[in-house]
Amino acid sequence: MRRLDPGGEWHPSPPETPKETTKVSKTKTVLIDKHPGRSAQTIGIARELGADPGLIHEPSIGVIGNKGDSQCYMGVQGKVEAIHNCLLRRLGRAPGQIPMRLVQPEYTIATSDGIRNGTREMRYSLIGREVTNDSVCEHLSASGLEGTIAVVACDKPPVGTLAAILEHNRPAIIMSDGPIRPGVDPDSNEPLDIVSAYQVAGHADEGYRTRIACAACPGYGSCGGMFTYNTMQTFIAVVGMQPLHMVAPPSDDPRRLEQFPGELVGYLQAMVETGTTPRDIVGRDAIRNAVIVAMAIGGSTNVTLHAPEIARAAGFGDFWQDIMTPEEFNHLSQHVVPVLTDARPYGRYSMVDIDEVGGVQVIVKELLAAGLLNGEVMTCTGETLGAQVARLGTPSADGRVIYTVEKPFKPTGGLRMLGGNLSPEFSAILKLAGVEGGLEDNLFRGTARVFDGEQGLLDALDHEPDSFNNHDMIIVRYEGPSGAPGMPEMLDATSRITTLCRERGIVVGLMTDARFSGGSVGLVIGHVGPEAALGGPIAFIENGDEIVADLNKNELNCTPLSDPVTLAARTAAWRKVVAANGGIHPACGEADTQLLNRMRHSAVPATQGAGMHPDRQLWVNNPRQPAPSSFVPRNKWRPASS
């Protein structure tokens, strides 16, 4: 028997008490130690799985998968079983085999963002990231897994899975289940996706709404546009934990069952043999690379929630200090990193189209060639990022789906962080790639229309859509991590506003302490913090206030709140309401389940990932110091003092 030391090296085990020999079949013999009770089920599991009982005292290896109430997850089980069977064939003591004990597959659970948007159940979506983290942590740690392959789907469970893998920090690798293929409108032959269906909610023709709904999501797989799922799958690959070529192929691509399982087992075996762990891969420069690529694909605003959570799990204390400052984030997005993809929801194409022109590795190749990424970071394939791109024989950008850095699809990156008197935490985020109008000279002036909760806005959009006027700035508050609780996303509301603006030729903005789907477009600003439930300035806005979004200064301001007297009066009035209601504002949602209550009382702000970590340092194992990088991106931002 051998053991794995904390540094990842295999060594002979020290002498042990002699074991009893027991036959469990005509051909298999296993050594039993002095704790037969611990061995009994292990032998039984090995027998039922068809594995070698002689390996039951070796380190364990296994497969995990994400499951949930959505067609996003319908392809996961088949891939998990294919990888499991491949592992089973590769385990043993013969040369070239992996001498490890096989455990049965385990699955996490999650809600469906696509089905639950616009309902109170959507509060559980981001909480699902935390539940996935907990369940994967329990499985990895309690089972003592020394090797893990994870098949991930939708957008929150993959981040929770990666966070748990980083906390466990034993050899592991991830594979995307894959995106869904686009639907097609049977009448117009136009490509469709789930956002298409949300955007026709206000259409007067019920038959048209039904036709789009029935055609939008054929087959299975996760959202196909450059929404949060594909933003985060690309992120996970660029950060080094997923092979680049496994991101873009659709869920039903035969390679995911026939080719990729063997490759994944081979990569994992190499990680086990070399003692390579996730934290060896997910370092500061790797995370920075992934954020830059998220800008270049016009990715989801949710990346600014998930990147801090991944950094925390990787051992960093504060993403916005240790990895990248908000000022540098904005400089890169404004002046350095262009949008390279003509992708939904702001463009025309899906991830399947990106796969057909070479995959996300084409985007990485472009950014590497332009000097915007560190190609020397290590990845799960055992190669550097640059070497992986080269080995894949990555083609050049086609100029139609994926553009070059020299001739990009959009000249500036897709995301922008905002400060100002409404966002003193510098947490507010705008997906600039999805803005369709209203930013003349990078400035928007609007009139506040306030809703204490999303449902009031949905009711108004349902029953009085004509009441919205050009340059309204809708305020939706008390939907933050603590207030909702759970920080729901608002694809239903933003999609209806987008359609309303297109039909009437007007601009209506929306700002909230909640968050948005990666499929949301328009002048929508989320993660405004501190949130209303905690007495953030967004709680003090009144109907008719002037709201100014200034992208020249990267600020979000409420003009009346610039007056100290007005601010003091409104703050006092708010505190009086809260005090009369037992310490919580009456507009906050009910925390009537254990999960919602846990979220309300342990949620951290959006800047820290909006997860359940009341004391982050308690959850950072072996804190890492962000060592200075030897890599300097082109036009890297530097503070004026330097």
Side-chain angles (χ1 to χ4, degrees):
M1 180 175 168
R2 298 182 294 175
R3 63 185 176 84
L4 197 65
D5 73 12
E9 296 295 329
W10 290 98
H11 300 281
S13 292
E16 298 179 359
T17 304
K19 299 180 175 68
E20 304 169 9
T21 299
T22 301
K23 286 189 175 182
V24 296
S25 70
K26 292 182 179 179
T27 58
K28 302 292 183 182
T29 301
V30 62
L31 294 176
I32 301 300
D33 60 18
K34 294 300 183 181
H35 302 283
R38 298 177 188 171
S39 300
Q41 283 196 332
T42 313
I43 295 169
I45 290 170
R47 183 191 298 117
E48 292 302 316
L49 294 179
D52 183 355
L55 296 172
I56 66 167
H57 296 300
E58 297 293 346
S60 56
I61 193 169
V63 189
I64 58 178
N66 299 152
K67 295 284 281 181
D69 175 27
S70 170
Q71 66 196 118
C72 302
Y73 305 99
M74 294 179 72
V76 170
Q77 185 169 339
K79 281 105 175 162
V80 167
E81 291 173 353
I83 296 167
H84 178 84
N85 290 333
C86 187
L87 264 177
L88 179 62
R89 293 191 298 270
R90 294 281 287 275
L91 298 183
R93 298 191 184 279
Q97 289 189 304
I98 309 171
M100 301 182 84
R101 174 175 75 89
L102 184 64
V103 302
Q104 59 188 320
E106 292 287 343
Y107 294 92
T108 67
I109 59 170
T111 189
S112 166
D113 293 357
I115 296 173
R116 305 302 173 195
N117 252 283
T119 73
R120 295 306 286 164
E121 287 83 3
M122 193 63 199
R123 296 179 295 168
Y124 287 96
S125 172
L126 185 58
I127 293 175
R129 184 188 73 185
E130 309 300 290
V131 172
T132 298
N133 188 327
D134 288 350
S135 60
V136 174
C137 174
E138 194 275 343
H139 177 57
L140 298 181
S141 298
S143 300
L145 261 70
E146 287 292 336
T148 306
I149 299 173
V151 181
V152 296
C154 202
D155 55 331
K156 313 311 178 304
V159 179
T161 299
L162 176 55
I165 283 172
L166 284 163
E167 290 170 343
H168 187 60
N169 202 34
R170 303 309 306 149
I173 191 168
I174 289 173
M175 182 183 76
S176 156
D177 173 67
I180 191 172
R181 294 182 184 275
V184 177
D185 184 335
D187 287 6
S188 69
N189 209 37
E190 290 293 315
L192 301 172
D193 56 30
I194 191 168
V195 173
S196 308
Y198 271 100
Q199 288 179 347
V200 302
H203 200 282
D205 185 345
E206 182 180 352
Y208 177 76
R209 298 197 305 269
T210 300
R211 185 177 87 228
I212 299 302
C214 291
C217 296
Y220 55 87
S222 296
C223 289
M226 197 56 75
F227 312 153
T228 307
Y229 169 73
N230 283 312
T231 298
M232 294 315 301
Q233 290 312 308
T234 302
F235 189 105
I236 291 169
V238 175
V239 88
M241 287 302 294
Q242 173 171 201
L244 291 168
H245 66 292
M246 296 186 186
V247 175
S251 182
D252 62 4
D253 190 302
R255 288 175 290 176
R256 293 196 176 278
L257 294 174
E258 299 167 5
Q259 175 186 333
F260 295 168
E263 293 177 0
L264 289 165
V265 172
Y267 295 140
L268 182 65
Q269 181 174 2
M271 292 180 74
V272 169
E273 291 173 350
T274 60
T276 302
T277 67
R279 288 193 180 190
D280 294 330
I281 294 169
V282 184
R284 179 176 182 269
D285 278 7
I287 299 172
R288 286 170 58 84
N289 280 349
V291 172
I292 289 170
V293 174
M295 294 177 185
I297 60 178
S300 168
T301 53
N302 284 306
V303 74
T304 60
L305 294 177
H306 297 326
E309 174 63 7
I310 290 168
R312 175 205 64 79
F316 296 100
D318 188 330
F319 175 89
W320 296 109
Q321 292 184 24
D322 297 343
I323 307 297
M324 181 180 290
T325 66
E327 293 84 2
E328 184 182 3
F329 182 99
N330 281 341
H331 176 80
L332 289 168
S333 189
Q334 283 180 264
H335 304 295
V336 181
V337 183
V339 175
L340 303 184
T341 51
D342 180 4
R344 294 276 290 165
Y346 54 84
R348 295 177 293 174
Y349 297 107
S350 72
M351 185 58 87
V352 175
D353 296 311
I354 288 174
D355 180 57
E356 290 175 353
V357 299
V360 299
Q361 55 266 40
V362 176
I363 302 165
V364 176
K365 178 182 178 180
E366 274 294 316
L367 296 169
L368 283 169
L372 297 177
L373 303 179
N374 184 350
E376 297 305 311
V377 295
M378 188 54 61
T379 72
C380 61
T381 66
E383 308 156 295
T384 64
L385 183 65
Q388 189 183 162
V389 170
R391 176 182 57 81
L392 291 171
T394 305
S396 299
D398 68 304
R400 177 181 60 92
V401 180
I402 301 174
Y403 287 65
T404 65
V405 172
E406 290 74 21
K407 295 182 179 180
F409 180 64
K410 293 191 176 188
T412 59
L415 299 168
R416 192 72 61 83
M417 304 290 295
L418 304 176
N421 68 14
L422 287 175
S423 183
E425 291 183 346
F426 219 109
S427 61
I429 181 76
L430 168 67
K431 184 172 181 175
L432 191 58
V435 175
E436 298 183 344
L439 283 174
E440 291 75 18
D441 299 321
N442 287 321
L443 195 71
F444 174 84
R445 293 183 185 274
T447 303
R449 181 167 178 187
V450 180
F451 293 91
D452 285 345
E454 183 188 19
Q455 190 57 53
L457 171 59
L458 293 174
D459 291 343
L461 289 167
D462 270 343
H463 304 300
E464 47 180 4
D466 292 339
S467 67
F468 293 93
N469 300 309
N470 191 33
H471 279 230
D472 276 351
M473 174 59 88
I474 297 168
I475 313 296
V476 180
R477 60 196 183 191
Y478 299 105
E479 295 285 13
S482 296
M487 203 181 190
E489 70 181 32
M490 298 185 176
L491 179 60
D492 194 355
T494 60
S495 297
R496 297 194 201 192
I497 292 168
T498 295
T499 301
L500 183 150
C501 290
R502 290 172 180 173
E503 290 176 346
R504 294 174 53 190
I506 63 175
V507 175
V508 175
L510 189 157
M511 58 171 282
T512 180
D513 50 10
R515 58 188 182 86
F516 299 118
S517 163
S520 294
V521 293
L523 187 61
V524 293
I525 301 169
H527 311 183
V528 177
E531 61 176 295
L534 301 182
I538 190 174
F540 311 141
I541 301 173
E542 295 183 357
N543 283 315
D545 283 354
E546 181 185 57
I547 306 296
V548 181
D550 187 341
L551 270 66
N552 297 304
K553 297 180 179 178
N554 293 322
E555 290 186 353
L556 181 64
N557 291 304
C558 174
T559 303
L561 296 185
S562 299
D563 174 24
V565 175
T566 300
L567 177 60
R570 293 186 184 182
T571 302
W574 181 86
R575 288 175 176 168
K576 184 177 181 180
V577 171
V578 169
N581 195 56
I584 186 168
H585 196 280
C588 291
E590 290 186 1
D592 53 357
T593 67
Q594 178 171 287
L595 271 177
L596 293 177
N597 187 65
R598 179 181 164 201
M599 185 71 178
R600 169 153 291 162
H601 294 287
S602 65
V604 295
T607 53
Q608 297 180 25
M612 299 180 185
H613 305 295
D615 186 344
R616 291 174 61 81
Q617 291 307 313
L618 292 177
W619 300 89
V620 178
N621 300 319
N622 304 318
R624 300 164 66 169
Q625 296 300 316
S629 171
S630 59
F631 174 75
V632 180
R634 187 190 70 183
N635 296 331
K636 179 181 180 292
W637 173 85
R638 294 186 184 280
S641 60
S642 67

